Amino acid sequence: MVSKAAEKGRKEVRALLRRWGLARDMCREKAQKLREFKELSEQMREFPNQYESAVGFFEARCAAEFAFGRRMTELIAALSPRQQTILWMRYSGNSSFLRIALRLNCSVDHAKRLEREAVDKLSAMPGCLDLLGGDCA
């Protein structure tokens, strides 16, 4: 039987992994909004403070998400190549366990077990759960 603390740790690490998988798209999206606000601020010179605060907000969020993604990638790089593949496919590639199992030539249940082991290993790494607090810029 798995303890409640271990289940909670897995849940938290999986939330971090989902955020990591979306970080690239979020950075791209925020960079686009940043470009739009910069263009607006150049066009609307009468209200510079309004747009400057929005530009500052998007720049800070982009930097924070980039730092978070880089830190998660460093932690994942410490895992075995097979575990890295599973996490990349599952959380960055949004692949199903069936697709992962086919790629690794194993059963779906074994792919789930390998993912769970990788998540447990990540949760035991120093600094991983510190990322839950928010920004790591």
Side-chain angles (χ1 to χ4, degrees), residues 108-123:
V108 173
D109 288 337
H110 189 64
K112 288 179 181 180
R113 190 169 33 257
L114 290 171
E115 184 267 350
R116 188 174 54 245
E117 289 171 4
V119 167
D120 288 344
K121 210 172 193 182
L122 266 179
S123 69

Side-chain angles (χ1 to χ4, degrees), residues 72-119:
M72 280 300 292
T73 301
E74 290 169 358
L75 290 171
I76 291 169
L79 298 172
S80 72
R82 193 169 190 167
Q83 289 172 331
Q84 289 178 37
T85 300
I86 290 169
L87 295 181
W88 276 97
M89 288 183 73
R90 182 73 179 155
Y91 295 100
S92 189
N94 207 21
S95 297
S96 67
F97 281 111
L98 177 60
R99 181 171 285 176
I100 294 169
L102 291 171
R103 168 84 188 273
L104 297 177
N105 195 25
C106 64
S107 70
V108 173
D109 288 337
H110 189 64
K112 288 179 181 180
R113 190 169 33 257
L114 290 171
E115 184 267 350
R116 188 174 54 245
E117 289 171 4
V119 167

